[in-house]
């Protein structure tokens, strides 16, 4: 399985991608998680990315392509992967073609792309209720996916946090970046006939079933 998830911020792609990766025994590769790790570790990459991410803008194509090139060269990605948050621009998508596959429409040896459809109005509300575990990255939602104990991760026992870029100003900027820079990526894959669109509205389990059906 070589699968790319495309969707606006807060569309649930992280949650669904993680679950699908676990089910299919392939790595879940989230460029957002990798950047947040670099920030937590205080690396040069993290220091460069932090202010850009906090503003809701995209990190440069060159940096992101370097990161994904190194990650996909690791042995665990040889049999497949689920990409979450990459490619986010057409330049990244074109580069990915040269790294992993031809995206020619031949799904047997190419990429498959799944686009989660969630309208903008639903996004801002969803994101303001999103919390995550700073230790394991598990994602919760204060209405639809609550932890057993308020504000505490079920697995790690850590205090849940809101992401620094989950404030309204940054969310609007991230949505704008999605429309202007990432939706053309969906068109890019549609032209290659490897795109499947799935309705991302509804409970997590229901959306997951739709995803599995669309891939089978
Ligand atoms: P995410 O966790 O996927 O919502 O990503 C959080 C932030 O990381 C984005 O708003 C961007 O600033 C940055 N980012 C993640 N992936 C990429 C990418 N492929 N290209 C550019 N910026 C990215």
């Amino acid at each position: 399985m070589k699968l790319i998830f495309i969707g606006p911020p807060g569309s649930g792609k992280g949650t669904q991608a993680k679950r699908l990766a676990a089910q299919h025994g392939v790595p879940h590769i989230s460029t957002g998680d990798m950047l947040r790790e670099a920030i937590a570790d205080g690396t040069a990459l993290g220091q460069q990315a932090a202010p850009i991410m906090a503003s809701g803008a995209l990190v440069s194509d060159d940096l992101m392509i370097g990161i994904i090139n190194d990650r996909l060269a690791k042995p665990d990605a040889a049999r497949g992967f689920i990409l979450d948050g990459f490619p986010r621009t057409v330049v990244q998508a074109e580069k990915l073609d040269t790294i992993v596959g031809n995206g020619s429409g031949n799904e047997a040896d190419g990429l498959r792309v799944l686009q989660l459809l969630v309208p903008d109005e639903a996004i801002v509300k969803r994101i303001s209720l999103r919390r995550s575990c700073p230790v394991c990255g598990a994602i919760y939602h204060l209405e639809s996916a609550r932890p057993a104990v308020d504000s505490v991760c079920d697995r790690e026992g850590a205090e849940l946090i809101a992401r620094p870029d989950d404030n309204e100003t940054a969310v609007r900027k991230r949505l704008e970046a999605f429309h202007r820079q990432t939706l053309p990526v969906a068109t890019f894959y549609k032209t290659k006939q490897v795109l499947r669109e799935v309705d991302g509205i509804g409970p997590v389990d229901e959306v997951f079933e739709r995803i599995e059906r669309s891939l089978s």
Side-chain angles (χ1 to χ4, degrees), residues 31 83 148 208:
T31 43
L83 285 183
F208 188 70

Side-chain angles (χ1 to χ4, degrees), residues 9-10 13 30-33 35-36 49 52-54 56-61 64 84-89 92 130 163 165 174:
K13 63 181 168 17
S30 156
T31 43
D33 285 352
L35 291 172
R36 281 183 286 276
I52 303 171
M53 289 173 75
L58 293 187
V59 174
S60 78
D61 286 335
M64 297 313 301
D84 164 9
F86 187 98
R88 255 182 163 93
T89 66
Q92 293 178 14
R130 176 159 78 177
R163 276 171 47 171
D165 58 348
R174 286 158 68 201

Side-chain angles (χ1 to χ4, degrees), residues 24-37:
H24 290 266
V26 293
H28 164 237
I29 300 178
S30 156
T31 43
D33 285 352
M34 290 166 85
L35 291 172
R36 281 183 286 276
E37 251 173 60

Side-chain angles (χ1 to χ4, degrees), residues 61-161:
D61 286 335
D62 280 353
L63 262 183
M64 297 313 301
I65 288 164
I67 291 173
I68 215 73
N69 206 5
D70 291 351
R71 179 62 187 88
L72 293 178
K74 295 200 170 151
D76 67 338
R79 275 185 307 119
F81 47 78
I82 295 185
L83 285 183
D84 164 9
F86 187 98
R88 255 182 163 93
T89 66
V90 172
V91 171
Q92 293 178 14
E94 285 169 348
K95 188 64 192 181
L96 185 65
D97 266 4
T98 70
I99 301 173
V100 285
N102 51 24
S104 61
N106 179 357
E107 292 186 349
D109 53 29
L111 297 167
R112 283 193 287 180
V113 184
L114 204 135
Q115 184 182 5
L116 272 183
L117 304 173
V118 179
D120 285 4
E121 314 86 76
I123 296 293
V124 179
K125 178 155 187 250
R126 267 198 194 187
I127 287 192
S128 64
L129 296 173
R130 176 159 78 177
R131 298 289 182 275
S132 62
C133 172
V135 180
C136 70
I139 301 161
Y140 297 87
H141 184 278
L142 297 184
E143 275 174 4
S144 59
R146 301 165 60 92
V149 177
D150 267 358
S151 299
V152 176
C153 177
D154 292 345
R155 203 176 333 155
E156 300 290 341
E159 182 86 10
L160 300 180
I161 53 164

